[in-house]
Amino acid sequence: MATAFSSLRGRLFALLFLALLLLALPLAFLSAQEARRAASEDLRRALYTRLYLLREEGPREAEALLLELFRLAQVYGGGTGFVVRGEGVAFTEEPPPPLPPGLREALAAGRAYQGVWQGALYVALPGAGGGFGLTVPLEGAAGLGRRLLLLYATWGGGVFLLVFLLAALGFAWALRPLSALARSLAARSPQDLSPLPEPRVAELKPVVEALNGLLARVEGLLGELGEKEAAARRFARHASHELRTPLTALKGYLEVLRRAPEPRALEGAWRQAERMERLLQGLLRLSRLEAAHLRPEPLDLRAFLAERGVAVEGEGVVLADPELLALAVENVLENARRHGSPPVRAQLLPEGEGVWLWLVDSGPGFPQDLLPRALEPFVHGGEGTGLGLALVAAVARVHGGKAAVANRAGAAVGLYLPLASLKLSPGAPFGGEG
């Protein structure tokens, strides 16, 4: 039973069965009661009418009246007639039935009597010296109720089952779209994240819309994971390439030194070792930065940059980690010294829920073919490790912002940072731009 009720179909069928049962039982009971009451009322009226007509025919001797009452009783299924004369009572049958309390008093007062006593109906009319009447057992009326209940249990039970089966077929037809949706989902491959078609049943539309939203989010998440995996593969490939170059040169210099002392070979070996050290330090710093614990605080960018000798245009107070932001600024300044021309100036441009910090040098700017990839690791103009601007982008991501590069009368590197008025958890994106 628990298994049946665990399905929507089983619950609907159970509710249908219970509803039909609660409808049929009271109807059967009330119908039987009403039929018995109606039969008793019809019998009472018929007896009263026949006795009234009998009285209107005129006075008769007790024996003749008893004979008429006997005939009348046979018409109504074998009742008993009685004639009351003073203190005596004559009956049409033996043994005589008892008279109900109040009957003699009603006749003595000249009133008709009607009532049910001990399972029989008594109807009596007053007459000369007393009165006369009939008593008819109500077994027939009571049996009518039982016959109706039996009829409900047999034919009514068949109709009940027929209605239940038809309703069950209707429920199965109504639930067919749900079954079709289940089959469609079961037949899908794990790689198929396309939206489900719009259902023809209005009640299923919220379910399908929720599933399509989930599929879209899963597809987006898989896309992000794919992009991250591709970025990780590119990173590993570039890192191995960047490390292989100085390592190959270092081995060549060491081979020369193994054959004979050569100052230029020693100097070249030292230079390649330093390059490898810088590269490894940059990789280590980048990996630590991605997992850094942010300690943000309100920071006046104008004062912060002025301490580092950078001229500032504009105002802006952001929520940032001073140490990480200093690392980003130092990398931009180092990049300007290597590839551009000092001095570096800063532009603060509020936008939405954050501030753009643009650091612009006085050089010729980025080569056009380098702009789309300038923030990727190991991308450089021929010198350096190619990790400086990648560190800048990582600092922006840690703050929930982003980084960008452009040419603005010089090479421009921008960081989008949240306003100090925002109460954000570390690493959380903010606004539509973040």
Side-chain angles (χ1 to χ4, degrees), residues 363-410:
F366 291 101
Q368 288 299 322
D369 60 341
L370 200 64
L371 270 176
R373 302 180 297 111
L375 295 175
E376 296 180 8
F378 309 113
V379 175
H380 50 75
E383 297 181 12
T385 61
L387 295 175
L389 295 186
L391 286 170
V392 174
V395 169
R397 286 195 300 270
V398 169
H399 284 84
K402 59 184 178 179
V405 294
N407 286 325
R408 298 185 174 183

Side-chain angles (χ1 to χ4, degrees), residues 264-328:
R264 286 181 299 177
L266 181 60
E267 182 181 351
W270 182 258
R271 188 169 56 252
Q272 295 301 327
E274 286 183 334
R275 181 182 176 187
M276 290 182 61
E277 183 181 16
R278 288 195 305 271
L279 190 60
L280 291 173
Q281 286 177 349
L283 290 172
L284 182 61
R285 181 179 292 178
L286 187 61
S287 64
R288 288 176 177 174
L289 184 58
E290 294 289 356
H293 179 65
L294 197 65
R295 296 180 178 84
E297 61 183 59
L299 200 62
D300 185 346
L301 289 179
R302 191 177 187 86
F304 178 81
L305 294 168
E307 292 177 358
R308 287 155 179 79
V310 180
V312 185
E313 300 175 12
E315 303 283 345
V317 179
V318 297
L319 192 67
D321 187 315
E323 293 184 6
L324 295 182
L325 188 56
L327 175 64

